[in-house]
PDB file of all heavy atoms in Angstrom:
ATOM      1  N   ALA A 396     -11.264  14.275 -12.827  1.00  0.00           N
ATOM      2  CA  ALA A 396     -10.591  12.942 -12.736  1.00  0.00           C
ATOM      3  C   ALA A 396     -11.442  11.999 -11.920  1.00  0.00           C
ATOM      4  O   ALA A 396     -11.086  11.643 -10.778  1.00  0.00           O
ATOM      5  CB  ALA A 396      -9.223  13.092 -12.120  1.00  0.00           C
ATOM      6  N   PRO A 397     -12.539  11.547 -12.504  1.00  0.00           N
ATOM      7  CA  PRO A 397     -13.450  10.695 -11.719  1.00  0.00           C
ATOM      8  C   PRO A 397     -12.856   9.298 -11.392  1.00  0.00           C
ATOM      9  O   PRO A 397     -12.241   8.677 -12.262  1.00  0.00           O
ATOM     10  CB  PRO A 397     -14.677  10.502 -12.633  1.00  0.00           C
ATOM     11  CG  PRO A 397     -14.147  10.752 -14.038  1.00  0.00           C
ATOM     12  CD  PRO A 397     -13.002  11.734 -13.878  1.00  0.00           C
ATOM     13  N   VAL A 398     -13.055   8.883 -10.156  1.00  0.00           N
ATOM     14  CA  VAL A 398     -12.573   7.575  -9.723  1.00  0.00           C
ATOM     15  C   VAL A 398     -13.672   6.880  -8.991  1.00  0.00           C
ATOM     16  O   VAL A 398     -14.261   7.456  -8.073  1.00  0.00           O
ATOM     17  CB  VAL A 398     -11.319   7.678  -8.818  1.00  0.00           C
ATOM     18  CG1 VAL A 398     -10.918   6.331  -8.323  1.00  0.00           C
ATOM     19  CG2 VAL A 398     -10.144   8.359  -9.518  1.00  0.00           C
ATOM     20  N   PRO A 399     -14.008   5.677  -9.360  1.00  0.00           N
ATOM     21  CA  PRO A 399     -15.063   4.920  -8.687  1.00  0.00           C
ATOM     22  C   PRO A 399     -14.595   4.662  -7.220  1.00  0.00           C
ATOM     23  O   PRO A 399     -13.400   4.528  -6.934  1.00  0.00           O
ATOM     24  CB  PRO A 399     -15.167   3.566  -9.423  1.00  0.00           C
ATOM     25  CG  PRO A 399     -14.493   3.834 -10.704  1.00  0.00           C
ATOM     26  CD  PRO A 399     -13.504   4.928 -10.527  1.00  0.00           C
ATOM     27  N   ILE A 400     -15.586   4.619  -6.282  1.00  0.00           N
ATOM     28  CA  ILE A 400     -15.315   4.384  -4.913  1.00  0.00           C
ATOM     29  C   ILE A 400     -16.159   3.222  -4.360  1.00  0.00           C
ATOM     30  O   ILE A 400     -17.410   3.267  -4.547  1.00  0.00           O
ATOM     31  CB  ILE A 400     -15.570   5.644  -4.070  1.00  0.00           C
ATOM     32  CG1 ILE A 400     -14.701   6.811  -4.594  1.00  0.00           C
ATOM     33  CG2 ILE A 400     -15.209   5.422  -2.584  1.00  0.00           C
ATOM     34  CD1 ILE A 400     -15.132   8.178  -4.018  1.00  0.00           C
ATOM     35  N   VAL A 401     -15.536   2.265  -3.680  1.00  0.00           N
ATOM     36  CA  VAL A 401     -16.207   1.119  -3.040  1.00  0.00           C
ATOM     37  C   VAL A 401     -15.830   1.206  -1.573  1.00  0.00           C
ATOM     38  O   VAL A 401     -14.667   1.394  -1.240  1.00  0.00           O
ATOM     39  CB  VAL A 401     -15.779  -0.187  -3.744  1.00  0.00           C
ATOM     40  CG1 VAL A 401     -16.417  -1.360  -2.961  1.00  0.00           C
ATOM     41  CG2 VAL A 401     -16.136  -0.216  -5.187  1.00  0.00           C
ATOM     42  N   ALA A 402     -16.849   0.969  -0.710  1.00  0.00           N
ATOM     43  CA  ALA A 402     -16.564   0.975   0.727  1.00  0.00           C
ATOM     44  C   ALA A 402     -17.108  -0.295   1.416  1.00  0.00           C
ATOM     45  O   ALA A 402     -18.278  -0.550   1.304  1.00  0.00           O
ATOM     46  CB  ALA A 402     -17.151   2.219   1.385  1.00  0.00           C
ATOM     47  N   PRO A 403     -16.264  -1.057   2.090  1.00  0.00           N
ATOM     48  CA  PRO A 403     -16.738  -2.204   2.892  1.00  0.00           C
ATOM     49  C   PRO A 403     -17.484  -1.707   4.129  1.00  0.00           C
ATOM     50  O   PRO A 403     -17.244  -0.643   4.589  1.00  0.00           O
ATOM     51  CB  PRO A 403     -15.461  -2.944   3.275  1.00  0.00           C
ATOM     52  CG  PRO A 403     -14.390  -1.921   3.212  1.00  0.00           C
ATOM     53  CD  PRO A 403     -14.817  -0.910   2.181  1.00  0.00           C
ATOM     54  N   LYS A 404     -18.406  -2.553   4.621  1.00  0.00           N
ATOM     55  CA  LYS A 404     -19.221  -2.178   5.752  1.00  0.00           C
ATOM     56  C   LYS A 404     -18.886  -2.859   7.066  1.00  0.00           C
ATOM     57  O   LYS A 404     -19.246  -2.392   8.151  1.00  0.00           O
ATOM     58  CB  LYS A 404     -20.713  -2.304   5.442  1.00  0.00           C
ATOM     59  CG  LYS A 404     -21.115  -3.768   5.147  1.00  0.00           C
ATOM     60  CD  LYS A 404     -22.629  -3.784   4.791  1.00  0.00           C
ATOM     61  CE  LYS A 404     -23.045  -5.218   4.552  1.00  0.00           C
ATOM     62  NZ  LYS A 404     -24.493  -5.268   4.226  1.00  0.00           N
ATOM     63  N   THR A 405     -18.228  -4.048   7.007  1.00  0.00           N
ATOM     64  CA  THR A 405     -17.818  -4.689   8.208  1.00  0.00           C
ATOM     65  C   THR A 405     -16.444  -5.305   7.957  1.00  0.00           C
ATOM     66  O   THR A 405     -16.008  -5.374   6.814  1.00  0.00           O
ATOM     67  CB  THR A 405     -18.811  -5.885   8.601  1.00  0.00           C
ATOM     68  OG1 THR A 405     -18.590  -6.894   7.598  1.00  0.00           O
ATOM     69  CG2 THR A 405     -20.209  -5.391   8.584  1.00  0.00           C
ATOM     70  N   PRO A 406     -15.770  -5.792   9.019  1.00  0.00           N
ATOM     71  CA  PRO A 406     -14.425  -6.340   8.751  1.00  0.00           C
ATOM     72  C   PRO A 406     -14.455  -7.448   7.769  1.00  0.00           C
ATOM     73  O   PRO A 406     -13.677  -7.462   6.774  1.00  0.00           O
ATOM     74  CB  PRO A 406     -14.031  -6.876  10.177  1.00  0.00           C
ATOM     75  CG  PRO A 406     -14.736  -5.924  11.131  1.00  0.00           C
ATOM     76  CD  PRO A 406     -16.045  -5.615  10.441  1.00  0.00           C
ATOM     77  N   ALA A 407     -15.402  -8.415   7.890  1.00  0.00           N
ATOM     78  CA  ALA A 407     -15.421  -9.521   6.953  1.00  0.00           C
ATOM     79  C   ALA A 407     -15.793  -9.109   5.522  1.00  0.00           C
ATOM     80  O   ALA A 407     -15.360  -9.641   4.555  1.00  0.00           O
ATOM     81  CB  ALA A 407     -16.399 -10.600   7.401  1.00  0.00           C
ATOM     82  N   ASP A 408     -16.601  -8.028   5.456  1.00  0.00           N
ATOM     83  CA  ASP A 408     -17.059  -7.540   4.160  1.00  0.00           C
ATOM     84  C   ASP A 408     -15.898  -6.958   3.328  1.00  0.00           C
ATOM     85  O   ASP A 408     -16.042  -6.729   2.140  1.00  0.00           O
ATOM     86  CB  ASP A 408     -18.148  -6.473   4.374  1.00  0.00           C
ATOM     87  CG  ASP A 408     -18.754  -6.004   3.068  1.00  0.00           C
ATOM     88  OD1 ASP A 408     -19.124  -6.851   2.258  1.00  0.00           O
ATOM     89  OD2 ASP A 408     -18.891  -4.762   2.918  1.00  0.00           O
ATOM     90  N   CYS A 409     -14.775  -6.693   3.982  1.00  0.00           N
ATOM     91  CA  CYS A 409     -13.616  -6.148   3.232  1.00  0.00           C
ATOM     92  C   CYS A 409     -13.202  -7.159   2.131  1.00  0.00           C
ATOM     93  O   CYS A 409     -12.696  -6.767   1.103  1.00  0.00           O
ATOM     94  CB  CYS A 409     -12.427  -5.914   4.168  1.00  0.00           C
ATOM     95  SG  CYS A 409     -12.714  -4.541   5.301  1.00  0.00           S
ATOM     96  N   PHE A 410     -13.432  -8.458   2.350  1.00  0.00           N
ATOM     97  CA  PHE A 410     -13.138  -9.491   1.370  1.00  0.00           C
ATOM     98  C   PHE A 410     -13.961  -9.242   0.089  1.00  0.00           C
ATOM     99  O   PHE A 410     -13.438  -9.136  -1.043  1.00  0.00           O
ATOM    100  CB  PHE A 410     -13.423 -10.868   1.946  1.00  0.00           C
ATOM    101  CG  PHE A 410     -13.149 -11.965   1.003  1.00  0.00           C
ATOM    102  CD1 PHE A 410     -11.901 -12.467   0.808  1.00  0.00           C
ATOM    103  CD2 PHE A 410     -14.210 -12.568   0.243  1.00  0.00           C
ATOM    104  CE1 PHE A 410     -11.631 -13.525  -0.069  1.00  0.00           C
ATOM    105  CE2 PHE A 410     -13.982 -13.618  -0.628  1.00  0.00           C
ATOM    106  CZ  PHE A 410     -12.688 -14.091  -0.814  1.00  0.00           C
TER     107      PHE A 410
END
Side-chain angles (χ1 to χ4, degrees):
Chain A
V398 176
I400 304 170
V401 174
K404 61 181 182 180
T405 70
D408 186 47
C409 290
F410 179 82

